[in-house]
Amino acid sequence: MAKGSKFGLPAQMLAGLVLGVVVGAVVSSEFAATYLQPLGQLFIRLIRMVVVPLVFATLVAGAAGISDISKLGRVAVKTVLVFAITTAISVTFGLIVAGVIDPGLGLTLTTEGLKAKTVTAPAFVDVLLNIVPINPFEAFTKGSMLQVIFFAIMFGFCLSAMGERGKPVLQFFDLVGDVMIRMTNAVMRYAPIGVFGLIAFTVSRHGLAVLLPLGKLILASFVATALLVIVVYIPIVVGIIRIPVGTYFKGIFEPWLIAFTTCSSAAAMAANLLSSRKLGATKTISSFAIPLGNTINMNGTAVYMGVTAIFAAQVYGIDLSLGDQITVVMMGVMAAIGTAGVPGAGLIMSTIVFTQVGIPLEAVALIAGVDRVLDMIRTSINVVGDSTTALVVSRLEGELGKEPLDEDELAA
Ligand code: ASP
């Protein structure tokens, strides 16, 4: 990544974003679709290319790198608990804030003629069963992230249990992880152009005017997410991690900005690993929590699930009972866990939530117009949630700030 220079990656990403909005507002949508959209698609393809081996290798190395099996179990349990608690709180935040802002009032559509149950959400037990791949190679080729993660963690556990004899394989995956981080950093050099293409296409297709009627939806998402940071994250930083809030925000700035501009957690993962290390997380804990959280810990997406459910219910005049709202929280957590770290994935996953509470899936088309903006907001928090968890677990293990970065990490 361009370090040191004044016009480094963060500045380039912002420039790509601003230029994309300006160009998108003046060119025709045909021009944008023909010439600009492919620039963005190329970026998304590059990210999708790196994500499976990146997550797999770093997660195997992260799990196997904790040689003490009981410590590995402890770290895994703490990490997953922090993920689960913050995700459930996030959906609830989305529900409450949207309940106050009422983003869907004033925009009334009828449900007449619309069938809510056009897709049926898979049964809970099937969702769980599906996490276990029948064939890990099929999971790799299809990019089924939850299955890849399940296999990676089991592989890492077993590798760790092999002790000395497993070391060469651990070293191998450690190196593959470093190669993939380097590859992600190479791909990220192209990101400013990709971001330019993606945002220019969105603006030219939907126009800036679409922002107005759906402005309240954006506002609700933003307020809910900001409140999550203020009410949950900052107290965690101050009370549990115990580092100055300024240091924390400065430390997470680069991955946050990459997530905000690219709308992809996967794109920000390499930067997130480095920044959580710099903030004091240990190598093993961050290489366990960050690749795992990259797919399963999506607090921003969880907020979005709550906000969009209220929005869509209001637009279609559907009353969500308390029971429905509890369903939204449960399905929202599952939908967020299953969301891949690529642009727009959350919008598709929101259908799981909508279906469960009888909201017509046409709501998705309505939200799609502003989804890019909502995606920027949610992805930034998805990424920040992962590094925060790595820091919390490092602190709970009494290891925060005790393992300085090695040369290899700095060189990647
Ligand atoms: N774009 C999000 C991410 O990469 C996922 C989502 O669409 O909610 O984290």
Side-chain angles (χ1 to χ4, degrees):
M1 242 169 271
K3 290 182 196 110
S5 83
K6 275 223 165 64
F7 204 60
L9 187 65
Q12 292 174 29
M13 306 277 283
L14 275 182
L17 188 72
V18 173
L19 207 65
V21 172
V22 174
V23 172
V26 293
V27 299
S28 71
S29 55
E30 290 77 34
F31 179 88
T34 318
Y35 299 105
L36 306 181
Q37 192 191 15
L39 298 176
Q41 284 169 328
L42 172 61
F43 175 64
I44 294 183
R45 289 190 79 102
L46 287 166
I47 286 298
R48 296 195 90 123
M49 171 181 83
V50 294
V51 69
V52 173
L54 173 68
V55 169
F56 184 71
T58 41
L59 201 49
V60 167
I66 308 177
S67 46
D68 170 355
I69 280 280
S70 70
K71 178 176 173 190
L72 176 55
R74 234 177 28 238
V75 167
V77 168
K78 283 178 186 165
T79 306
V80 171
L81 267 181
V82 178
F83 285 168
I85 295 169
T86 50
T87 306
I89 293 177
S90 304
V91 190
T92 313
F93 256 75
L95 277 176
I96 295 173
V97 172
V100 172
I101 295 186
D102 290 332
L105 292 191
L107 198 77
T108 316
L109 300 177
T110 167
T111 45
E112 220 171 284
L114 298 179
K115 282 187 229 73
K117 308 263 182 208
T118 40
V119 291
T120 29
F124 185 63
V125 63
D126 289 336
V127 173
L128 291 184
L129 278 176
N130 253 322
I131 295 175
V132 182
I134 297 173
N135 174 355
F137 293 100
E138 191 190 358
F140 286 121
T141 50
K142 287 195 173 152
S144 311
M145 290 313 291
L146 291 182
Q147 299 189 344
V148 169
I149 284 173
F150 183 85
F151 185 69
I153 293 180
M154 259 193 97
F155 192 94
F157 263 68
C158 295
L159 188 56
S160 165
M162 290 185 61
E164 263 321 294
R165 209 156 72 82
K167 283 274 150 64
V169 178
L170 167 58
Q171 255 167 10
F172 170 78
F173 280 108
D174 209 17
L175 260 179
V176 173
D178 286 351
V179 173
M180 292 316 301
I181 289 175
R182 203 171 262 257
M183 206 163 176
T184 312
N185 289 340
V187 166
M188 290 311 292
R189 287 180 184 250
Y190 173 73
I193 300 174
V195 164
F196 164 79
L198 288 169
I199 196 82
F201 173 68
T202 311
V203 171
S204 80
R205 178 153 164 228
H206 297 289
L208 287 174
V210 80
L211 294 182
L212 291 177
L214 295 174
K216 267 172 102 181
L217 175 61
I218 298 174
L219 180 75
S221 270
F222 176 77
V223 172
T225 313
L227 273 180
L228 182 73
V229 173
I230 296 167
V231 179
V232 178
Y233 281 38
I234 293 184
I236 288 181
V237 171
V238 176
I240 302 178
I241 305 173
R242 298 201 298 277
I243 55 173
V245 177
T247 311
Y248 168 76
F249 281 120
K250 212 168 141 221
I252 57 168
F253 177 70
E254 183 151 334
W256 174 86
L257 185 70
I258 294 175
F260 183 77
T261 48
T262 61
C263 294
S264 167
S265 306
M269 190 182 126
N272 211 21
L273 271 170
L274 186 62
S275 78
S276 63
R277 287 286 289 124
K278 284 186 180 162
L279 281 169
T282 63
K283 184 163 187 203
T284 39
I285 293 176
S286 54
S287 19
F288 181 77
I290 291 188
L292 181 62
N294 203 266
T295 312
I296 72 166
N297 183 43
M298 301 257 175
N299 296 348
T301 301
V303 170
Y304 165 88
M305 295 297 167
V307 172
T308 51
I310 294 283
F311 167 78
Q314 288 177 343
V315 168
Y316 287 102
I318 298 168
D319 247 346
L320 292 183
S321 65
L322 185 65
D324 286 339
Q325 300 201 20
I326 293 172
T327 307
V328 169
V329 174
M330 276 164 37
M331 295 314 288
V333 169
M334 300 233 295
I337 290 175
T339 304
V342 292
L347 180 66
I348 298 162
M349 295 303 283
S350 65
T351 55
I352 295 184
V353 180
F354 292 175
T355 309
Q356 282 295 310
V357 289
I359 295 171
L361 295 184
E362 278 71 7
V364 170
L366 198 62
I367 298 165
V370 287
D371 197 58
R372 181 85 203 166
V373 183
L374 301 177
D375 207 354
M376 293 163 106
I377 301 172
R378 64 182 189 256
T379 310
S380 0
I381 298 305
N382 288 347
V383 166
V384 172
D386 299 340
S387 44
T388 309
T389 306
L391 294 169
V392 168
V393 178
S394 297
R395 171 61 84 199
L396 295 178
E397 285 293 305
E399 293 175 353
L400 193 88
K402 295 209 173 134
E403 196 185 278
L405 269 78
D406 59 38
E407 274 171 26
D408 291 344
E409 289 174 274
L410 284 168

